[in-house]
Amino acid sequence: LVGLFCSSTINIKLIRGSMKTEKQILGIWGENLAVEWLKKQGYLVIEQNYSSPPGEIDIVAKVRDSLSFIEVKTRSGHPGSAERAVGFLKQDHLIKAAKYYCRQWNIDLLHTSIQFEQISIYCSKKDKTATITKYSLPVGMNFSYGKR
């Protein structure tokens, strides 16, 4: 998806009112944009920024009969850098946090389809647009409460 407005006005207001870095503000903006985009794609967003001892999950959502755990990466340049940011270690933390979430909410893993996804957002300051791409992460195989 190309052509979403990339607002620098929001960033300026947030910087003045908080102690967040520009990178953190871009990340928050990207996560909020991803939530709106997912809703338009038919996802029901259950939680945003779910925090657990094993780690954080940016977005937990339902789509059709699946529970989806979504990592969002937002960049203002360097094509491909968002995709490279979700390596094995990040995927491992995402899986552990998702297991924690499922235990906490008594999700029946025998009857619930689980998927892991990444949303990469590239924001162009020059033409004030954002490009959104969604990927399936191949980490959901053999997802259970057992050890990993």
Coordinates of all heavy atoms in Angstrom, one line a residue, residues 15 18-26:
I15 N 7.2 15.1 20.3 CA 8.5 15.4 20.8 C 8.5 16.4 21.9 O 9.1 16.3 22.9 CB 9.5 15.8 19.7 CG1 9.8 14.6 18.8 CG2 10.8 16.3 20.2 CD1 10.5 15.0 17.5
S18 N 7.0 14.9 25.3 CA 7.5 13.7 25.9 C 9.0 13.7 25.8 O 9.7 14.5 25.2 CB 6.9 12.5 25.2 OG 7.4 12.4 23.9
M19 N 9.6 12.6 26.4 CA 11.0 12.5 26.4 C 11.4 11.4 25.4 O 12.5 10.8 25.5 CB 11.6 12.2 27.8 CG 11.3 13.3 28.8 SD 12.1 14.8 28.3 CE 13.8 14.4 28.6
K20 N 10.6 11.0 24.5 CA 10.9 10.0 23.5 C 11.8 10.5 22.4 O 11.7 11.6 22.0 CB 9.5 9.5 22.9 CG 8.6 8.8 24.0 CD 7.6 8.0 23.4 CE 6.7 7.3 24.4 NZ 7.3 6.5 25.4
T21 N 12.6 9.5 21.9 CA 13.4 9.9 20.8 C 12.6 9.9 19.5 O 11.5 9.4 19.4 CB 14.6 8.8 20.6 OG1 14.0 7.6 20.2 CG2 15.4 8.7 21.9
E22 N 13.2 10.5 18.5 CA 12.5 10.5 17.2 C 12.2 9.1 16.6 O 11.2 8.8 16.1 CB 13.3 11.3 16.2 CG 12.6 11.7 15.0 CD 13.3 12.8 14.1 OE1 14.1 13.5 14.6 OE2 13.1 12.8 12.9
K23 N 13.2 8.2 16.9 CA 13.0 6.8 16.5 C 11.8 6.2 17.2 O 11.0 5.4 16.6 CB 14.3 6.0 16.7 CG 14.2 4.6 16.3 CD 15.5 3.9 16.5 CE 15.4 2.4 16.1 NZ 16.7 1.7 16.3
Q24 N 11.7 6.4 18.5 CA 10.5 5.9 19.2 C 9.2 6.5 18.8 O 8.2 5.7 18.7 CB 10.7 6.1 20.7 CG 11.8 5.4 21.4 CD 12.1 5.8 22.8 OE1 12.1 7.0 23.1 NE2 12.4 4.9 23.7
I25 N 9.2 7.7 18.5 CA 8.0 8.4 18.0 C 7.6 7.8 16.6 O 6.4 7.6 16.4 CB 8.2 9.9 17.9 CG1 8.3 10.4 19.4 CG2 7.1 10.6 17.2 CD1 8.8 11.8 19.5
L26 N 8.6 7.6 15.8 CA 8.3 7.0 14.5 C 7.7 5.6 14.6 O 6.7 5.2 14.0 CB 9.6 6.9 13.6 CG 9.4 6.4 12.2 CD1 8.5 7.3 11.3 CD2 10.8 6.2 11.5

